[in-house]
Amino acid sequence: MKVAIAGAGAVGRSIARELLHNKHEVMLLERRVDNIDEASVPGATWINGDACELDNLEQAQLHTYDVMVAATGDDKANLVVSLLAKTEFAVERVVARVNDPRNEWLFDEGWGVDVAVSTPRILASLVEEAVSVGDLVRLMTFRQGQANLVEITLPQDTSFAGKPVRKLVLPRDAALVAILRGGRVIVPQADDPVEGGDELVFIAPAEVEEALREAILSL
């Protein structure tokens, strides 16, 4: 993929390195000259310019990119970058960083955001996920489809232990996408058995989350 990243601070550079490691083509847009450090992310294309300005995005040929990542430390800038990327350059996938959780409600399809990533929310979710058994923990929100990535850890004494995945009765539009067991990530097949302590990862719309939790805890 061709990925453009607005903001070359610590977050933007880290994302760029990971994407380059996975053989993607990366461009970093940074408005502050003192943040331009090509040696810190070798292999990336660096552009000194404000990603909130249309002319700079045109010169960067943003329309040729598959993904825009708005990763600055300013929520207002990330919203503007997302909107320009989606509406002016038809970028297929827009991912935006949310710095202040109070602003998270703004990061939706109205501002061109496909996926909003809130670091405080993710950290809180990981804490909950580490200590909660039987609770539904929301890991990530996919705004465009109004669906969430959620996790439920089965109690060790679940009566469903040993039964196959196909026996799970899930609410409409909820889908089991992974089973985490020990150090393994299992892509569930119909005949795979479930065990106590398994972490079940689902994609589900928000309105069925409570029904999903009740269905799993009734096992």
Side-chain angles (χ1 to χ4, degrees):
M1 293 185 298
K2 294 182 67 176
V3 183
I5 301 173
V11 172
R13 291 196 301 269
S14 295
I15 296 169
R17 292 189 197 101
E18 186 69 22
L19 291 168
L20 286 165
H21 177 73
N22 291 329
K23 310 302 182 184
H24 299 296
E25 183 178 335
V26 176
M27 172 179 65
L28 283 159
L29 296 112
E30 173 56 51
R31 66 181 181 86
R32 295 178 54 184
V33 176
D34 55 346
N35 273 353
I36 302 292
D37 182 6
E38 297 187 16
S40 67
V41 191
T45 299
W46 288 75
I47 293 180
N48 179 211
D50 190 341
C52 292
E53 295 184 8
L54 193 61
D55 288 346
N56 291 334
L57 297 179
E58 288 176 345
Q59 292 176 16
Q61 298 186 327
L62 188 62
H63 66 280
T64 66
Y65 281 76
D66 304 298
V67 181
M68 164 58 85
V69 181
T72 80
D74 185 332
D75 284 345
K76 295 188 295 295
N78 289 341
L79 286 170
V80 171
V81 169
S82 298
L83 186 62
L84 289 175
K86 184 66 72 173
T87 60
E88 298 295 329
F89 298 94
V91 176
E92 183 176 351
R93 190 75 164 166
V94 176
V95 179
R97 172 188 177 189
V98 184
N99 296 279
D100 187 339
R102 293 174 297 181
N103 297 329
E104 191 172 4
W105 65 276
L106 287 165
F107 286 73
D108 60 15
E109 64 274 10
W111 280 95
V113 178
D114 295 308
V115 179
V117 181
S118 170
T119 301
R121 178 182 288 277
I122 289 174
L123 289 174
S125 295
L126 290 173
V127 170
E128 290 179 320
E129 185 271 337
V131 300
S132 301
V133 174
D135 289 335
L136 183 145
V137 178
R138 185 178 295 178
L139 302 175
M140 182 176 290
T141 298
F142 302 100
R143 294 289 186 181
Q144 192 173 42
Q146 297 299 310
N148 300 315
L149 188 69
V150 300
E151 181 269 349
I152 300 176
T153 300
L154 290 177
Q156 290 290 346
D157 60 354
T158 177
S159 61
F160 201 76
K163 296 180 180 178
V165 165
R166 57 185 164 80
K167 295 288 188 179
L168 287 172
V169 180
L170 303 177
R172 183 177 179 181
D173 297 330
L176 176 64
V177 295
I179 299 173
L180 309 182
R181 181 180 299 153
R184 298 177 60 202
V185 178
I186 301 169
V187 179
Q189 305 298 318
D191 292 325
D192 288 339
V194 173
E195 297 179 6
D198 281 354
E199 298 176 49
L200 306 182
V201 181
F202 300 87
I203 291 180
E207 60 267 21
V208 305
E209 286 182 356
E210 182 58 28
L212 175 61
R213 189 186 72 83
E214 291 177 359
I216 296 304
L217 292 185
S218 66
L219 297 175

